[in-house]
Amino acid sequence: MLAIYKKELRSYFNSMIGYVFMALFLLIIGLYFFFQNFIYSSANFEYTLASITFLFVIFAPLLTMRLMAEENKQKTDQLLLTSPVTATSIVVGKLLAVFSLYSLIMLITCFYPLILSLYGTVPFASAYSSILAFTLMGGAYLAIGLFISALTDSQIVAAVISFVVFLLTILMDGIAGLLPTDNKSAVMIFTAILLVICIVIYRMMHNLTIAVGVGVISAAGLICAYLLKPTLFDGSVANVLGWLSIVKRFDNFYYGIFDVSGLVYYISIACLFAFLTVQVIKKKRWS
Amino acid sequence: MIEVKNLTKRYGNQLAVNNLSFKVEKGQVLGFLGPNGAGKTTTMNIITGYISATEGTVMINGVDVFEEPEAVKKMIGYLPEFPPLYPEMTVREYLNFAADLKKVPKKERKEMVAKVMDSTMITQMADRLIKHLSKGYKQRVGLAQAILGYPELIILDEPTVGLDPKQIIEIRDLIKALSKNHTVILSSHIMQEVSAVCDMVMIIDKGKLILREKPENLSTRLGSTGGLRLSVKGNKEVIQTTLSRISRVDRIGIHEAVSEEILELTLHCSEKDDIREEVFYAMSEARTPILEMQSIRMSLEDIFLKVTGNSELIENGSIDNLAAGSMPELDSNAVVVGKNTDDTDKLEVDNNAGNL
C-alpha cells in the first residue's frame, strides 16, 4: 500500500498536475476569501468555503481521471495485480495519495481564519469545522472519481463522466425541487430509475435472468408498498435525491452547525466508493 | 512446483484455454509454443493470478492461486506480453517501485536493483525516462522487473520480442543462468528460442495441449519426412529420367530453376531408406554433377505445423518457398545458438531471420 501511495503522490509532482492543481485551487480560494471576507468584511470563513463547492466539479476529475484509467491503458495494472498486494491496498493507497494532495491545500487554508483574526473576532469553531467538512466532502468526491476512473481505460472518458456526475450532485437539489411531490408520480419515477438500474445490471453482467429477476422483485416490492401505504411516497423523490446531493450536507456547516451526521455521510460515501472500486478491480479478473 | 489441472477459460462462447493439465518440476524451463491466439498468454495470466479460470486449479508449491493469491504472487515474477512500465518514471525509479511492491526489504533494495539492472544490461539506462527507451530496452526493463526479488517461479511471455540478435542471445543466456536456481515458464512462437533454452516444450493450439516433449526428442518422436534435397547441374530431362529409374524414389519434386543449367529438386522416399549413395552413382553415371545434397530432417517448424494441423503447408513445400525468399543469412547464424547449431537446416536459419 505504501509503495502505491508513494508512487501516486510522486507522480502528481512529477507531471506538474499536482502543482497546477494546488496553485489554481489556492488562487480561487484566495480570491473568494478576499472578496467574501475582506471586501464584504465578513468574519465567517465558512461562507467562503460554501461558495466554492463548485470547484470540485472542475478540479476533482483532473486529479482522479488518471488514477486507474492510466493503469488500465498502459497495462501496468498487470504489474500491480500480479504483485503480492491486494486490490484493497491498491485502491486505498491511491485514494490516500490523492486525498493527501488535496489535504495539503486544506491545511494551507487553515491559516486563513488566523489571518482574519488579525482584524477582529473570528468564530474559529465554525470556521475549522467547516474546513474539516470541506476536506471530507473532497474525500467523498475523490472516491467517486477514483471509482469512475477504474471503470474505463481512457482518462478523457473518466474525466467527462466524473464531471457530469459531480455536476449532478450539485444540481440535484434544484432538480429535486422541480419534480412533482405526489405519491403516484413518485412511484412512476422510481419505476423508471429501477428500469435504468436493471439495464445497467444487464450491461455489466450479461445475464438476463438476474437483471429481469432484480427488476421484477423490486418492482413488486415498490407496488406492494404503494398499495399498502401510499403516503410513504409523499415527497419521497425529493428525499431520495436529497440523499444523493453531496453539497447539501455542507449547508449545516454554513450555518455554523457542527453536523456529525454530515461528516459520517462523507466518510461513508468515500468508503462505499472505495469498496466499489475494489470490486471493479476484482471483477476484471472474472470477466 | 507447479501443477495445473483441467484448466479451462471461456470468454462468452469462445474457449481460450481448453482443459489444460500439466506439471512443472522445480528448476525446469518450460516452453509454451503455439501460434498467435493459442492461449499461451491466457494460461500465463491465469497462473499469475491476473485473471481467473472458468474451471480447473493451479497449484504452486501446493498453494492454490485462487484461494491464496497473495501468497502465490510472492513466488512469481511475471513479464507480461506488454511490459507493464510507467513511461514517466526513470528505470531506477521504476525498479525501486517494483521492488517495493514485491516487498523486498529496504536494506537490500538498492543492491538488488543494481544487480538486476546489471544482469539485464540496462545499467547505463538507469536514469533515463522509460518513455525515451527503445522497444528492446523497454523489454529488458520489464524482464528486470520480473526477476526482481528472485522469485522461485519466473514467467516470461515472449521475452525476446523486439530485441536485436545480440540481445536475444544475451537474454537467452540470462534465462539459462536463471534456470539454475529458478523454475521458468516462457512462451514463444519462435522455435529456436524454445529449443535453445527449454528442458520441456509444450505445443498449444486453440487452447489445447497438443504435444509435450523434450526438445531433443521432438523430431525423433515425430519421425523425419524422409527425402533429399538436391541441386544438380545438367539437362533437366536427363536428370529426371535417371532419377526415375531409381526404384526407391517415390516422388520427384522439381523447384523453380535457379539458372538454366542448375536444377533444384526434392526426392521423396520412405523414411528409413538411405538413397544418397544410389543417387550419387546414378548422377555420376549420367555425368550430371551433384552440387549440393542434403537430407531433409524435420525442423521444429515442420513439427509445429504438423501437430497444429497445418501439415499441408509442408507437403506443398510452401515453407521452402517462403524461406527462399526471406532475409539474407548474414545475421541469422548468430541467432542459432545452443543445441541447434548442428541443425542449421537452411529452412530454420531463414525462418529465424524472418522472425527477427
Side-chain angles (χ1 to χ4, degrees):
Chain A
M1 191 183 93
L2 210 59
I4 290 166
Y5 173 79
K6 280 190 282 186
K7 177 222 136 204
E8 286 302 328
L9 206 56
R10 199 180 298 134
S11 80
Y12 277 123
F13 291 105
N14 273 349
S15 65
M16 290 259 302
I17 187 155
Y19 298 107
V20 171
F21 171 76
M22 285 180 73
L24 282 177
F25 212 102
L26 283 172
L27 175 74
I28 294 173
I29 291 182
L31 278 176
Y32 272 78
F33 175 65
F34 181 72
F35 285 113
Q36 288 271 6
N37 297 112
F38 282 80
I39 302 287
Y40 296 116
S41 23
S42 148
N44 297 74
F45 186 61
E46 56 271 25
Y47 294 176
T48 304
L49 287 181
S51 47
I52 54 168
T53 45
F54 73 90
L55 275 185
F56 290 118
V57 177
I58 305 162
F59 288 116
L62 284 182
L63 283 185
T64 55
M65 62 180 188
R66 47 167 288 286
L67 278 177
M68 287 309 300
E70 187 69 358
E71 305 267 4
N72 293 345
K73 191 175 182 195
Q74 306 270 9
K75 309 231 177 211
T76 40
D77 59 328
Q78 226 164 349
L79 171 69
L80 301 182
L81 296 177
T82 56
S83 299
V85 287
T86 57
T88 314
S89 58
I90 294 172
V91 169
V92 173
K94 280 176 179 276
L95 189 58
L96 280 185
V98 66
F99 187 67
S100 304
L101 175 70
Y102 165 71
S103 303
L104 206 60
I105 297 167
M106 296 320 289
L107 213 61
I108 295 171
T109 61
C110 283
F111 290 108
Y112 290 20
L114 292 178
I115 296 169
L116 269 185
S117 72
L118 294 176
Y119 304 95
T121 18
V122 173
F124 280 117
S126 62
Y128 284 111
S129 63
S130 69
I131 289 180
L132 176 66
F134 199 77
T135 311
L136 292 179
M137 178 160 66
Y141 274 115
L142 294 174
I144 299 173
L146 173 65
F147 169 71
I148 292 168
S149 175
L151 293 175
T152 165
D153 55 10
S154 155
Q155 289 192 42
I156 305 296
V157 172
V160 170
I161 295 179
S162 307
F163 179 77
V164 172
V165 168
F166 295 169
L167 198 62
L168 277 179
T169 63
I170 283 193
L171 300 178
M172 202 57 91
D173 242 7
I175 297 173
L178 296 175
L179 292 171
T181 51
D182 68 299
N183 47 35
K184 205 182 246 171
S185 37
V187 171
M188 267 147 69
I189 290 168
F190 285 131
T191 318
I193 293 173
L194 203 61
L195 194 69
V196 173
I197 292 174
C198 288
I199 291 171
V200 170
I201 290 177
Y202 178 68
R203 290 289 303 162
M204 284 178 84
M205 298 178 72
H206 298 285
N207 190 330
L208 200 62
T209 2
I210 291 181
V212 171
V214 167
V216 168
I217 291 170
S218 330
L222 202 65
I223 290 165
C224 282
Y226 176 67
L227 292 177
L228 291 174
K229 203 178 175 193
T231 50
L232 202 67
F233 289 92
D234 284 336
S236 54
V237 176
N239 278 339
V240 169
L241 292 187
W243 252 101
L244 301 175
S245 171
I246 294 176
V247 182
K248 198 182 157 201
R249 302 275 149 173
F250 195 70
D251 287 353
N252 278 337
F253 293 93
Y254 175 79
Y255 297 125
I257 304 164
F258 188 77
D259 178 10
V260 179
S261 73
L263 300 183
V264 171
Y265 172 82
Y266 289 140
I267 295 172
S268 321
I269 292 274
C271 292
L272 172 71
F273 278 93
F275 171 77
L276 288 176
T277 314
V278 173
Q279 299 313 308
V280 169
I281 293 175
K282 282 189 177 163
K283 186 197 153 252
K284 228 169 39 180
R285 262 189 83 186
W286 300 99
S287 63
Chain B
M1 172 93 202
I2 309 168
E3 197 176 350
V4 174
K5 258 191 208 155
N6 308 327
L7 200 67
T8 303
K9 177 72 183 176
R10 216 173 267 125
Y11 289 110
N13 292 328
Q14 213 187 337
L15 215 52
V17 178
N18 187 357
N19 207 7
L20 197 65
S21 301
F22 61 89
K23 267 187 198 176
V24 188
E25 300 303 321
K26 202 173 162 63
Q28 240 185 2
V29 182
L30 175 76
F32 276 158
L33 205 57
N36 295 329
K40 303 181 298 249
T41 300
T42 310
T43 310
M44 291 182 152
N45 277 341
I46 293 173
I47 296 175
T48 53
Y50 179 58
I51 54 175
S52 69
T54 314
E55 277 165 49
T57 56
V58 176
M59 306 279 271
I60 293 171
N61 277 342
V63 187
D64 193 313
V65 174
F66 309 116
E67 276 164 19
E68 290 176 63
E70 272 74 47
V72 168
K73 284 170 187 173
K74 241 180 201 165
M75 297 186 250
I76 301 180
Y78 183 33
L79 169 66
E81 199 174 4
F82 304 99
L85 307 173
Y86 294 99
E88 71 281 2
M89 283 189 188
T90 67
V91 173
R92 198 191 303 276
E93 272 171 359
Y94 173 73
L95 290 177
N96 276 325
F97 168 62
D100 203 358
L101 267 186
K102 288 163 193 261
K103 308 203 165 119
V104 176
K106 206 162 189 178
K107 284 177 199 161
E108 302 166 26
R109 207 173 290 161
K110 201 175 167 192
E111 198 184 328
M112 187 177 284
V113 167
K115 210 169 148 193
V116 165
M117 284 198 291
D118 194 44
S119 53
T120 47
M121 293 149 290
I122 49 174
T123 311
Q124 71 274 28
M125 297 292 169
D127 296 309
R128 289 241 212 139
L129 287 179
I130 289 175
K131 65 179 167 193
H132 294 149
L133 297 183
S134 67
K135 171 91 179 91
Y137 272 112
K138 280 184 185 162
Q139 188 74 21
R140 286 197 264 171
V141 175
L143 189 65
Q145 171 271 122
I147 61 177
L148 252 183
Y150 297 104
E152 287 175 60
L153 172 62
I154 295 173
I155 298 183
L156 309 169
D157 199 351
E158 310 217 338
T160 55
V161 164
L163 303 182
D164 65 42
K166 185 167 164 275
Q167 293 169 343
I168 289 183
I169 297 173
E170 286 165 349
I171 293 301
R172 282 183 193 166
D173 288 343
L174 175 65
I175 294 171
K176 275 185 197 161
L178 284 172
S179 68
K180 281 175 198 144
N181 301 312
H182 303 81
T183 312
V184 181
I185 299 182
L186 63 90
S187 78
S188 179
H189 56 261
I190 304 170
M191 319 294 146
Q192 279 65 40
E193 186 153 298
V194 168
S195 64
V197 295
C198 295
D199 304 317
M200 191 59 89
V201 177
M202 278 180 46
I203 298 181
I204 302 177
D205 189 34
K206 292 171 192 136
K208 261 192 167 165
L209 176 63
I210 290 185
L211 189 76
R212 184 192 151 89
E213 191 58 85
K214 289 188 171 156
E216 57 265 31
N217 294 349
L218 267 178
S219 65
T220 45
R221 172 166 161 172
L222 286 156
S224 64
T225 46
L228 288 178
R229 194 167 295 145
L230 284 178
S231 137
V232 188
K233 190 175 175 186
N235 184 287
K236 187 176 171 183
E237 269 128 53
V238 176
I239 295 169
Q240 254 184 309
T241 45
T242 323
L243 284 174
S244 57
R245 254 180 258 144
I246 303 173
S247 59
R248 286 195 289 169
V249 173
D250 296 336
R251 195 155 58 84
I252 303 168
I254 295 174
H255 300 276
E256 279 181 37
V258 181
S259 69
E260 274 181 31
E261 293 202 318
I262 299 169
L263 197 66
E264 300 234 359
L265 28 77
T266 311
L267 303 183
H268 296 272
C269 61
S270 83
E271 284 172 19
K272 282 150 211 152
D273 271 345
D274 189 357
I275 55 169
R276 281 178 295 183
E277 278 185 35
E278 211 169 326
V279 171
F280 170 78
Y281 286 122
M283 287 290 111
S284 80
E285 252 169 52
R287 298 201 65 73
T288 49
I290 297 173
L291 302 179
E292 260 179 67
M293 175 153 69
Q294 198 172 33
S295 59
I296 302 173
R297 261 198 287 160
M298 215 174 183
S299 70
L300 276 164
E301 269 87 358
D302 300 336
I303 294 167
F304 179 66
L305 289 173
K306 190 169 172 184
V307 297
T308 54
N310 287 323
S311 45
E312 72 274 13
L313 276 174
I314 309 173
E315 304 278 308
N316 297 340
S318 56
I319 304 175
D320 300 38
N321 294 341
L322 209 114
S326 74
M327 315 246 302
E329 289 176 38
L330 214 63
D331 297 337
S332 49
N333 281 321
V335 186
V336 183
V337 289
K339 295 161 193 163
N340 241 47
T341 25
D342 53 338
D343 204 0
T344 37
D345 199 330
K346 184 172 175 253
L347 192 74
E348 286 195 321
V349 172
D350 275 350
N351 268 1
N352 199 4
N355 278 328
L356 295 174

